[in-house]
Amino acid sequence: MRVRGSWPVQLRALAILSLWCGAAMAMEADNLTVVTSYPPSFFEPFQKAFSAREPDIQLTVVQRNTASAVRFIREKPDVPVDIFWASAADAFEVLKQQGQLRRTAPRPTGAPDTVSGYPVNDPDGFYLGFALSGYGFVYNPAYLAENRLPVPRTWSDLTSPIYSGHIGISAPSRSGTTHLIVEAILQTYGWDAGWALLSKLGGNLSTVTARSFGVASGVAQRRFGVGITIDFLGSAPNFPPDSTKFVLPPDTVFVPASIAILARSRNVAAAERFVDFALSEEGQELLLRPEINRIPVLPQVAAKADRNGIALHAGVGLLRGMRFDANLSARRYQLVNLVFDEYIVRKRAALARLWRQAAELAAINDPGSELAGALAEAVQYLGRPPVPREQATGDNELADLSDVPTGLPLPPKQAAFMDAVRTSIEHNLAEAERIMSQASSKYTLPGFKPWRR
């Protein structure tokens, strides 16, 4: 027997439930979440302007450094995120290869296809460049004058012994911007010669900062004189006046800052509208603000930037006319980070000591002698990468190296690989040390003190 009025009650409940679900879906549809490596001084003007233009979209911004943002996207698949927005183009390539990005159509910006060998947009259509930045050196004029140091002009200048103890850099494992310049050096010079250059640079380092912005800050505070960084981090409003100057070397790398829609986006329509805004004239105008300081990709807006002539019409740059292989960079992303940490960061003090000794022996200037031959052999050991170039293509098991948080055990294969890397580094540095120690002990020139371990 049916109870009178029961169906109307049930229908009312269903109607309420339907309205609630519809409201929840609408609420979700109106939400847009962006994860970015940019600081609040960068993203807040975009957030305010976009919200004024699109008041029906609730925009949330999650700020993390590049490596942390990539881990967040990869390891938190159930967290609603729609857009990845950052400067490190190879981080986008990593996410693309892992199926984390969604194709989006390029906008008609009028920007060139490539700048100094680097594609402005992903050729496969998974991420778009919205701004350009150049890599170079920030220096403190007073510091250089006090230490009688010239302003460096090229990347190879930084390997000169005169800069020993005067250079700062951030680790590529902590900074997407540093990772890209390390990868550009490796692609330009080749795996072996590239690591030899980075080893010399490591011997000149004063410190390795925890974050990208710590490089220019350290220069401003005169903790060291020269820093390797990207143009927009070369200054800050809180720095002392005239404490930093930025140099774009002739062999610089101009790289697009990019934006991408994630494959798991729950609000693709709103995400597309944010991409539209970032590449619109209104959005591009925001890049000219002093606190943001990027080069727009829209030529009519970039024309208002003093650096436009440098950026959009740059010469061959560090890549020397070659096309940057973002796919290769992504395949060996963790490999490069791990090798740099073990070889350059953790052995910084040993590299400084050994390269300083090499410079002292070279100053004896006895060409053709036994010393010259021994020094050449020692330098080869100092600059030898701990991983052979045959393993650096990313086409083997090394492509599966993971960024394991500190304190957690490594997977067995990765642990064995890291042990081999450390053993190789220790062997190479010990051989360089032995050869130079034996060679220096045979010289009794006036004023020369044989080197001691």
Side-chain angles (χ1 to χ4, degrees):
M1 184 174 109
R2 182 165 65 92
V3 178
R4 187 185 300 272
S6 62
W7 279 113
V9 171
Q10 292 174 7
L11 287 173
R12 282 198 300 271
L14 286 172
I16 292 171
L17 179 61
S18 177
L19 288 171
W20 183 87
C21 289
M25 290 176 65
M27 186 179 296
E28 183 177 288
D30 289 337
N31 288 338
L32 181 69
T33 302
V34 175
V35 62
T36 183
S37 62
Y38 296 129
S41 60
F42 180 101
F43 68 73
E44 285 177 352
F46 279 88
Q47 189 174 24
K48 181 179 179 180
F50 179 77
S51 296
R53 179 170 169 168
E54 304 282 359
D56 58 320
I57 298 175
Q58 180 64 45
L59 176 61
T60 301
V61 179
V62 178
Q63 198 271 331
R64 295 171 178 262
N65 68 45
T66 304
S68 176
V70 170
R71 285 197 303 270
F72 174 74
I73 292 170
R74 190 176 58 205
E75 298 171 5
K76 304 287 184 182
D78 296 329
V79 177
V81 180
D82 301 283
I83 285 176
F84 178 50
W85 195 25
S87 294
D90 44 4
F92 287 85
E93 195 68 21
V94 169
L95 292 173
K96 182 180 82 172
Q97 291 189 11
Q98 295 174 350
Q100 298 283 356
L101 304 184
R102 176 190 183 94
R103 278 194 171 91
T104 186
R107 275 54 172 179
T109 61
D113 291 337
T114 63
V115 174
S116 294
Y118 205 109
V120 173
N121 293 330
D122 172 36
D124 297 325
F126 285 94
Y127 52 92
L128 306 177
F130 75 96
L132 295 170
S133 295
Y135 289 75
F137 323 128
V138 61
Y139 68 94
N140 187 305
Y143 181 105
L144 295 192
E146 180 181 339
N147 290 276
R148 299 181 181 180
L149 296 172
V151 176
R153 299 297 178 185
T154 67
W155 296 103
S156 58
D157 285 349
L158 298 181
T159 66
S160 170
I162 61 172
Y163 291 107
S164 177
H166 298 296
I167 298 174
I169 194 174
S170 55
S173 58
R174 292 177 172 267
S175 164
T177 54
T178 306
H179 178 94
L180 197 141
I181 194 59
V182 167
E183 179 63 44
I185 287 173
L186 293 174
Q187 289 195 25
T188 297
Y189 292 93
W191 185 257
D192 292 342
W195 280 112
L197 185 149
L198 291 168
S199 174
K200 279 188 177 182
L201 175 61
N204 284 345
L205 292 178
S206 166
T207 190
V208 180
T209 66
R211 297 287 298 275
S212 297
F213 61 77
V215 173
S217 176
V219 170
Q221 297 168 27
R222 299 181 65 168
R223 291 193 288 114
F224 44 90
V226 180
I228 298 171
T229 189
I230 198 167
D231 53 11
F232 61 84
L233 291 178
S235 63
N238 61 334
F239 288 175
D242 301 319
S243 62
T244 61
K245 300 288 183 183
F246 186 80
V247 173
L248 280 174
D251 52 349
T252 192
V253 178
F254 284 100
V255 177
S258 300
I259 189 167
I261 300 175
L262 297 181
R264 71 170 185 251
S265 173
R266 300 181 184 182
N267 196 349
V268 175
E272 290 281 3
R273 284 154 73 181
F274 188 85
V275 173
D276 287 339
F277 175 72
L279 290 165
S280 70
E281 189 160 348
E282 180 184 357
Q284 294 279 289
E285 289 274 1
L286 294 175
L287 297 171
L288 301 179
R289 292 191 177 190
E291 67 271 26
I292 296 178
N293 193 28
R294 302 299 201 281
I295 304 167
V297 295
L298 280 182
Q300 67 268 30
V301 181
K304 303 175 185 178
D306 293 339
R307 296 169 299 163
N308 176 51
I310 299 174
L312 296 185
H313 305 287
V316 294
L318 180 61
L319 296 171
R320 298 177 184 172
M322 64 180 282
R323 188 183 183 97
F324 183 87
D325 190 340
N327 186 274
L328 171 62
S329 176
R331 292 200 309 270
R332 65 187 189 188
Y333 191 85
Q334 292 302 336
L335 173 64
V336 169
N337 286 348
L338 290 170
V339 172
F340 192 97
D341 280 349
E342 294 297 331
Y343 184 20
I344 309 300
V345 177
R346 293 189 174 91
K347 293 299 180 181
R348 179 174 59 84
L351 287 173
R353 177 167 53 85
L354 293 171
W355 280 113
R356 196 159 50 240
Q357 176 63 12
E360 292 171 0
L361 293 176
I364 295 175
N365 193 21
D366 191 3
S369 66
E370 181 182 343
L371 173 63
L375 181 58
E377 185 181 6
V379 165
Q380 282 188 336
Y381 274 110
L382 278 176
R384 182 175 295 173
V387 176
R389 65 177 177 271
E390 294 79 14
Q391 293 184 312
T393 61
D395 294 325
N396 47 45
E397 66 274 8
L398 298 184
D400 296 327
L401 292 173
S402 57
D403 183 15
V404 179
T406 303
L408 294 181
L410 294 174
K413 285 186 178 180
Q414 186 165 333
F417 168 73
M418 292 307 302
D419 285 342
V421 168
R422 295 180 185 118
T423 299
S424 177
I425 293 170
E426 293 287 352
H427 169 76
N428 292 340
L429 298 187
E431 282 299 290
E433 186 172 44
R434 179 187 64 78
I435 293 166
M436 288 193 292
S437 180
Q438 290 179 354
S440 64
S441 66
K442 299 178 182 180
Y443 275 78
T444 56
L445 298 178
F448 179 76
K449 297 180 180 180
W451 180 66
R452 293 291 181 267
R453 292 180 59 172

